[in-house]
Structures are given as structure tokens and as C-alpha cells.
């Protein structure tokens, strides 16, 4: 990756950095607030709650004696509890030894094991809770697609690609070419069997009457979303664009687009795009990407970085709160499972280690997500929050997961690890974390 590609203009750099800092600040605030509030509930006093490091810009002290502050380097944050020698809470300060029992109880190191465990675990769990709540809220905003598939509105397609008068908003799609489509799972299965060079026959229910109408191919080559840090994003493609041809050869379906790109072997392609009545051309160079499969495996493909969309917007219904939370939990589970699977496949060499992004890559993704609108940016924050929560649970000393391993040892043996062991393991953990950060940063700079 060319570092200078991040800086096409001062305005773009400010936007990218601003989006990254905003996303990170929200996630860090939620994470640290989890530590703070559960610690307070558990009887552990917090002395400082800081967003950022370095010189303090703004601060105030609340009635509980906690100093809330914003520091000059907005690249993280911390809660320092009473009796901590540092913000990591790894070791007690010398003052703890001289405290009476009641005062010592309000320190991290003098609190019961259950209180320390709950306080440390709360950070990642609050990150997961943020992701669930955001996904649930987006589900409420977007709605849940009605089944059987129902037309909400028709996509804007060029003449010849869609018979715009055939389908109508409100049509309930009962079958395609005579094959029943009772739900979206079956609908997608049927679409995969349809020829792409002929308009299918839709059996629809309209105004209470079933009828057959000729409609557009359900998945035309229309751009649904553009993924950050891809050829499509770099070229300026937008959701709603329609791909007319690749290398001058017309296409009729999104799956034809996928097949043509896969055949390129990474060679540049010229893509003809229809956008709101105008035709334009873009030169795109596909990138090799590893895609997670439903069985937990990964498949490597040449991609230009966009997903497809239906020829119609699905009619939706408002889900209930429980259903929306269920959607949020399901999306969080998918992200965690995919992340762990990707890490395993990278370690075993099954997929490229370039899938691991560092701060530059995350910053660029933040800017790209923000440029696609508020909803996309909020979704990105939820995904990043889930990733941060998972990372902090890794059993590496200096991370929350490392502290939890120490507490597990204490719970089993009845005593904490020795000071010597703690110092050694903390140094090893810090070296591992710095090594991981350096590796990810190298990926940002050298990976295509």
C-alpha cells in the first residue's frame, strides 16, 4: 500500500483522521466506562477517567472524587483506580501497603476476586453490548424484510435491463418461472438457477389477485454497497451504479460481473457504468481478498470491492425489541466467529496475513465508511467495537484477557502470581502486543 495514497488532499486527510478519532473515541469511552461503572458498583474507587493520553486539555472532578479528563493524544484511554501504580492496574502503588483494611478494599488490588474480575471483564463486554445495541437499532431503522418477498420500490435501471411496468410496489412474489419462493432463502436459491439472458416470469399477488408478469432479472449488476479500501472505492463507484459492461462485453447479472472479475487474475479491467442516465468508464484493478464462508472456511477471490443489490427494494416491517436484539446478537456472533476463524487461518497460512490491518488501514476504513453516510459509519463503529472487545479478551498480559487469566490462576490456587512472575509476564505481553502492532502497521504500508 502506498502511504501517500491516504493524502490526496489536506481536506481528505483531515476527514479520514477525524473519522478515525471519532470512532476510536466512542469505542474507548464505552470500553473504559464499562471498567469504571462496574468497578464503582463493586466498591472500587476510580481516581481518573481519561480519554486520550498525554497533557490534559480539559478536566473536572465529580462528587465521587473521580477526575474526568480529555488528553491531547486521542489514541486510547484509561481508568486509573485508587492504589494503581499505573493506568494498566498491573501492580499496586507503594501506598497500598500502608492503607487500613477498609481503605484498601476500595482499591483494585485490595478488592475481592469477584469484584476485580467483574471490573476487568466489563470493558470488553461493554464493547460487545455497544455492537449489539447498534445492530439492533439499525435493524429497527431499516426494518426486517417481509416474507414472502414483497416489492417495496423498484431500482433505477437503464432502459432494456428492466421492464419497469411489470413489477409494481406492493407485489408479493410467490414464484419465479413457476418455482415457489415462500421466503428469501428459497428466493435466492431459485434466482441462482435462472438464466441471465431472459426476463423471468414473476407470479405475484397484487390487490389480492395472483397474476404472472415479466420482470427484470432479480439480481442485475447493480452496486449495493462499496467496500472500503477496494478498487471500487478508490475509483469512486457509488451504491446505485449499474455495471453495463466489462472490457466492452455487456453483462446482465451481478453473478456475471463476479465471474468476469474472477477470470482477470488481477489484471486491470475497464468497467462501463450507468449512473442516473449517464454512462461512464472506470479502470479498476481487482484485489485478491479472502472471503469467509458459512462453514467457517475462507475462499480467495479476485474482487473489485462491491456487493450486489436486488432489482427492487424489499418491503419491510418493524421488528419488535426482542427480535431486533436477537438480530444484534446474531450479527455480533457472526463477527466474532469470522474474526477468530480469520486469525486461525492466518496463523496456519491458509489465508494472507494482509487481512490484518493496522492503524493506517483502520483510519482509512473509518474515513471511507464515514464518506458513505451516517448509517454506514455507525455500522462500522459497531463492527470495530466488537473487534476491540475481542482483542482485549486475548490472554495476553497487559490486555484485559491477561488480567482475567491471572485472576483465574488466583481463583484456582488461592493466591495471585508472584511479583516476579507478574513483571516477567507483563514484559512478555507488552513485547507481544508491540510486535503485533508493528506487524499490522507493516501490513498497512506494504500489502496491496
Amino acid at each position: 500500500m502506498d502511504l501517500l495514497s491516504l493524502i490526496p488532499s489536506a481536506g481528505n486527510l483531515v476527514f479520514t483522521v477525524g473519522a478515525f478519532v471519532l470512532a476510536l473515541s466512542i469505542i474507548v469511552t464505552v470500553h473504559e466506562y464499562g471498567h469504571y461503572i462496574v468497578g464503582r458498583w463493586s466498591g472500587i474507587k476510580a481516581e481518573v477517567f481519561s480519554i486520550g493520553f498525554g497533557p490534559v486539555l480539559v478536566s473536572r472532578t465529580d462528587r465521587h472524587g473521580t477526575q474526568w479528563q480529555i488528553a491531547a493524544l486521542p489514541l486510547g484511554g484509561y481508568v486509573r483506580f485508587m492504589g494503581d501504580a499505573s493506568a494498566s492496574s498491573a501492580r499496586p502503588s507503594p501506598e497500598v501497603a500502608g492503607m487500613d483494611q477498609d481503605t484498601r478494599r476500595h482499591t483494585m488490588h485490595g478488592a475481592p476476586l469477584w469484584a476485580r474480575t467483574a471490573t476487568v471483564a466489563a470493558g470488553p463486554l461493554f464493547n460487545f453490548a455497544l455492537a449489539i445495541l447498534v445492530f439492533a437499532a439499525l435493524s429497527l431503522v431499516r426494518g426486517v424484510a417481509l416474507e414472502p418477498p414483497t416489492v417495496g420500490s423498484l431500482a433505477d435501471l437503464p432502459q432494456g435491463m428492466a421492464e419497469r411496468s411489470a413489477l409494481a410496489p406492493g407485489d408479493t412474489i410467490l414464484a419465479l418461472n413457476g418455482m415457489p419462493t415462500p421466503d428469501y432463502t428459497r428466493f435466492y436459491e431459485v434466482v441462482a438457477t435462472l438464466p441471465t439472458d431472459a426476463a423471468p416470469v414473476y407470479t405475484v399477488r397484487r390487490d389480492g389477485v395472483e397474476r404472472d408478469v415479466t420482470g427484470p432479472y432479480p439480481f442485475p449488476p447493480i452496486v449495493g454497497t462499496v467496500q472500503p479500501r477496494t478498487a471500487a472505492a478508490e475509483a469512486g463507484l457509488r451504491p446505485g451504479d449499474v455495471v453495463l459492461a466489462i472490457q466492452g462485453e455487456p453483462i446482465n447479472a451481478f453473478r456475471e460481473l463476479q465471474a468476469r472479475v474472477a477470470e482477470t487474475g488481477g489484471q486491470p479491467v475497464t468497467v462501463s457504468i450507468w449512473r442516473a442516465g449517464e454512462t461512464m468508464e472506470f479502470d479498476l484493478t481487482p484485489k485478491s481478498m479472502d472471503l469467509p464462508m458459512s462453514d467457517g472456511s475462507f475462499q480467495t477471490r479476485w474482487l473489485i470491492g462491491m456487493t450486489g443489490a436486488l432489482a427492487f427494494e424489499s418491503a419491510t416491517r418493524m421488528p419488535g425489541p426482542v427480535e431486533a436484539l436477537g438480530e444484534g446478537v446474531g450479527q455480533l456472533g457472526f463477527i466474532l466467529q469470522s474474526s477468530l476463524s480469520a486469525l486461525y487461518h492466518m496463523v496456519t497460512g491458509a489465508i494472507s496475513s494482509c487481512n490484518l490491518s493496522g492503524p493506517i488501514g483502520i483510519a482509512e476504513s473509518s474515513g471511507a465508511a464515514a464518506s458513505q453516510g451516517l448509517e454506514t459509519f455507525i455500522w462500522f463503529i459497531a463492527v470495530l467495537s466488537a473487534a476491540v472487545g475481542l482483542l482485549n479478551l486475548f490472554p495476553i498480559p497487559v490486555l484485559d484477557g491477561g488480567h482475567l487469566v491471572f485472576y483465574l490462576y488466583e481463583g484456582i490456587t488461592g493466591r495471585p502470581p508472584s511479583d516476579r512472575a507478574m513483571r516477567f509476564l507483563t514484559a512478555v505481553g507488552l513485547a507481544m502486543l508491540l510486535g503485533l502492532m508493528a506487524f499490522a502497521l507493516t501490513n498497512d504500508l506494504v500489502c496491496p
Side-chain angles (χ1 to χ4, degrees):
M1 172 183 171
D2 180 7
L3 180 60
L4 294 180
S5 66
L6 287 176
I7 319 176
S9 68
N12 187 65
L13 175 63
V14 170
F15 183 82
T16 297
V17 172
F20 174 59
V21 169
L22 177 59
L24 185 63
S25 297
I26 292 171
I27 292 166
V28 167
T29 299
V30 169
H31 180 96
E32 298 302 333
Y33 187 78
H35 291 316
Y36 162 78
I37 193 63
V38 173
R40 201 182 85 186
W41 291 340
S42 303
I44 303 173
K45 176 178 172 58
E47 294 183 332
V48 177
F49 186 112
S50 180
I51 300 303
F53 301 98
V56 176
L57 302 178
V58 180
S59 69
R60 76 172 184 86
T61 301
D62 67 14
R63 61 188 179 87
H64 300 287
T66 301
Q67 177 176 306
W68 297 74
Q69 64 185 40
I70 298 176
L73 300 176
L75 299 176
Y78 62 90
V79 175
R80 191 179 72 232
F81 293 101
M82 186 171 71
D84 288 347
S86 65
S88 67
S89 299
R91 292 179 289 109
S93 65
E95 290 79 9
V96 173
M99 292 179 178
D100 60 69
Q101 186 174 354
D102 288 342
T103 303
R104 183 180 170 85
R105 168 60 182 84
H106 296 296
T107 69
M108 175 65 83
H109 302 277
L113 181 60
W114 68 264
R116 287 177 277 146
T117 301
T119 299
V120 169
L125 293 181
F126 268 54
N127 281 134
F128 295 155
L130 172 64
I132 291 172
L133 291 176
V134 169
F135 291 142
L138 290 176
S139 178
L140 291 171
V141 171
R142 296 169 178 169
V144 176
L146 286 173
E147 292 185 325
T150 303
V151 178
S153 61
L154 297 172
D156 189 18
L157 295 172
Q159 187 175 7
M161 193 170 283
E163 292 77 13
R164 296 183 60 84
S165 61
L167 286 176
D171 283 351
T172 299
I173 302 172
L174 305 176
L176 283 170
N177 283 359
M179 293 176 280
T181 55
D183 53 41
Y184 273 99
T185 299
R186 181 56 184 159
F187 179 83
Y188 296 140
E189 292 173 350
V190 171
V191 170
T193 68
L194 297 177
T196 61
D197 58 354
V201 175
Y202 291 73
T203 301
V204 303
R205 183 187 299 117
R206 182 184 299 171
D207 299 327
V209 178
E210 290 188 17
R211 65 186 71 189
D212 288 340
V213 298
T214 301
Y217 181 79
F219 269 105
I222 186 172
V223 179
T225 61
V226 178
Q227 298 166 351
R229 304 183 66 201
T230 61
E234 292 167 2
L237 268 65
R238 307 173 188 170
D241 288 347
V242 180
V243 181
L244 300 177
I246 293 183
Q247 300 291 77
E249 298 182 17
I251 59 173
N252 300 305
F254 193 80
R255 72 187 193 203
E256 291 180 346
L257 168 65
Q258 293 172 309
R260 299 277 180 85
V261 172
E263 293 169 356
T264 64
Q267 296 300 310
V269 294
T270 300
V271 178
S272 299
I273 296 292
W274 181 89
R275 178 184 295 170
E278 297 184 13
T279 302
M280 54 194 73
E281 290 191 345
F282 296 88
D283 292 323
L284 307 177
T285 301
K287 297 182 180 181
S288 178
M289 301 179 70
D290 300 302
L291 301 180
M293 300 290 105
S294 58
D295 62 358
S297 63
F298 279 77
Q299 188 176 86
T300 302
R301 298 179 186 171
W302 290 104
L303 301 173
I304 55 178
M306 57 192 188
T307 62
L310 288 168
F312 57 88
E313 289 282 342
S314 300
T316 60
R317 60 176 176 81
M318 179 67 71
V322 174
E323 184 181 3
L325 284 174
E327 289 284 327
V329 171
Q331 290 189 56
L332 174 65
F334 175 76
I335 291 170
L336 298 183
Q337 185 272 333
S338 298
S339 299
L340 290 173
S341 178
L343 180 62
Y344 170 78
H345 284 82
M346 279 189 281
V347 170
T348 59
I351 64 175
S352 171
S353 60
C354 286
N355 286 281
L356 181 65
S357 294
I360 295 177
I362 296 172
E364 187 178 13
S365 296
S366 300
S371 69
Q372 294 185 38
L374 181 60
E375 185 175 310
T376 300
F377 184 56
I378 291 174
W379 172 86
F380 175 79
I381 290 175
V383 172
L384 191 57
S385 181
V388 168
L390 178 61
L391 174 64
N392 272 276
L393 284 178
F394 285 179
I396 300 175
V398 309
L399 293 180
D400 294 332
H403 288 290
L404 293 175
V405 171
F406 294 149
Y407 295 156
L408 177 62
Y409 173 86
E410 183 178 346
I412 294 173
T413 65
R415 65 181 186 279
S418 67
D419 289 342
R420 182 178 179 182
M422 286 285 289
R423 286 195 296 269
F424 173 76
L425 292 173
T426 299
V428 171
L430 182 60
M432 292 174 61
L433 187 60
L434 291 175
L436 179 63
M437 292 172 61
F439 180 76
L441 180 60
T442 302
N443 278 356
D444 288 341
L445 299 175
V446 305
C447 286

